[in-house]
Amino acid sequence: MSDVPTYEHPDVVLCPGGPMLLRGKHVIEDSSGQLHETTRRVTALCRCDKSARKPWCDGTHKLLPEKLTPS
Amino acid sequence: MLPKPRGPLSAAVFESIRAIPAEPVARTHPEADGPEDAAVTLWALYELAYRGFDEVDETAEWDPDLLAVRRRLEIELEGRLRARWEAYRSDHERHDDFGEDLFAFIAAHDGRSLARFVQTDADEQQVLDLLRMKSVYHLKESDPTAWVVPRLPTASKAALMELQYDEYGSGDPNRVHAHLFARGLEAVGLRTEYGAYLDDVPLEILEQNNTMSLMGLHRRLRGAALGHLAAFEATSSLPSRQLSQGLQRLGMAPEMSAYYDEHVEADAVHEQLAVRAICGELVAVEPEVTDDVYFGAYTCLDLEDRLAELLLERWGVAS
Ligand code: FES
Ligand SMILES: [Fe+2]
Ligand SMILES: [Fe+2]
């Protein structure tokens, strides 16, 4: 057993109650078929469907009642 | 340029700073005659470690007499911040998920909102006033947190760099957040040099800046520095949207709204990284700093509340 750990570093992270974090460069097709390219190394994609800047998360999920936030 | 002194301590210390590197004479420095005198002195002493001042010799940064004054002022500042935290802290409980708890702690804090006022009611002069004050930090955005990097365990360090990389433009100088802010300042007709408005800013702004430097520069306070970062990032996306809307309502330059628009999206990422990864990975390895993470988070929120109270009162907004 090594003392030097190997860390988990997933490319996709589902944040409880919040967005999906995406690491790396991606092109996202939204529900209307429009394409959006990521511009930063880590991007937050809206999962609550209430963002004013979809497909990106803009923090709006924090204003929703808990039953409307993504799990 | 060094700021204007605000009392006998800052007057004496600024004189000492300017005298370097002359032969050291025994320099004694009087007590501050009030919080502004102390705060502007500490701000200038910290500044020696960032960009310095044109007229000041670079060796001043590590001058032992000046460091002694700095330490005295830091102890006093930290004591005051901790006293406010001790008075508040009993109110919150913790469960098992660190990230959820920290997000909940930040969300439970409610103070008056400057951003909401800017969104719906502020006039252009009030917004310009706010931008002048905010420029003291935003022109060195993320720099105080950069000091913390070498003090962290591996996973927390990597996560902090993931965030900082974005703050520093992902390698593109045009995208550096401090630079985006400078661009916005220029577009709305304000000065863009570092520290340009220091002489006009109130105590609350000096304390916000000094607190970030204090927490960033002391390894002992790494938990507090990252807790402060987490609270800052987690209270940024929604207010940034309100600020951007306020600027647009007033027809102010789009470059300034662009700075805030960038923060709506960037900080929706940064808050997740800061709370769950940066702070989460730190306390997983060093649970003894958990309390300091909360101290830092509280202090960030508390200092912003104090600024909001001051400005809303100054602007005659009823509470
Ligand atoms: S998940 Fe953040 S706004 Fe929808
Ligand atoms: Fe930023
Ligand atoms: Fe940020």
Side-chain angles (χ1 to χ4, degrees), chain A residues 38 45 54:
Chain A
T38 60
L45 280 187
K54 276 193 288 185

Side-chain angles (χ1 to χ4, degrees), chain A residues 1-24:
Chain A
M1 261 276 290
S2 165
D3 283 339
V4 182
T6 298
Y7 298 95
E8 286 168 12
H9 190 60
D11 294 330
V12 179
V13 179
L14 302 182
C15 301
M20 168 194 289
L21 297 186
L22 271 185
R23 291 193 162 95

Side-chain angles (χ1 to χ4, degrees), chain B residues 137-138 141-142 163 166-168 176-178 180 232-233 236 259 262-263 266-267 270:
Chain B
Y137 174 63
H138 289 321
E141 189 162 318
S142 304
L163 183 154
D166 207 26
E167 297 283 353
Y168 289 132
V176 172
H177 284 183
L180 293 177
F232 194 101
E233 300 289 354
S236 174
Y259 168 87
E262 162 66 10
H263 281 81
D267 289 345
H270 296 175

Side-chain angles (χ1 to χ4, degrees), chain B residues 14-43:
Chain B
F14 295 174
E15 203 176 304
S16 300
I17 291 178
R18 285 201 184 89
I20 291 170
E23 267 320 290
V25 284
R27 285 181 251 131
T28 54
H29 298 101
E31 291 295 318
D33 75 351
E36 291 208 22
D37 189 20
V40 79
T41 305
L42 185 55
W43 184 84

Side-chain angles (χ1 to χ4, degrees), chain B residues 146-166:
Chain B
W147 305 118
V148 188
V149 177
R151 286 110 189 228
L152 298 177
T154 304
S156 176
K157 177 188 282 178
L160 178 55
M161 285 310 298
E162 219 171 24
L163 183 154
Q164 291 286 79
Y165 189 64
D166 207 26

Side-chain angles (χ1 to χ4, degrees), chain B residues 181-196:
Chain B
F181 195 78
R183 222 185 230 142
L185 286 175
E186 182 173 53
V188 298
L190 293 177
R191 291 166 60 191
T192 59
E193 324 88 78
Y194 195 71

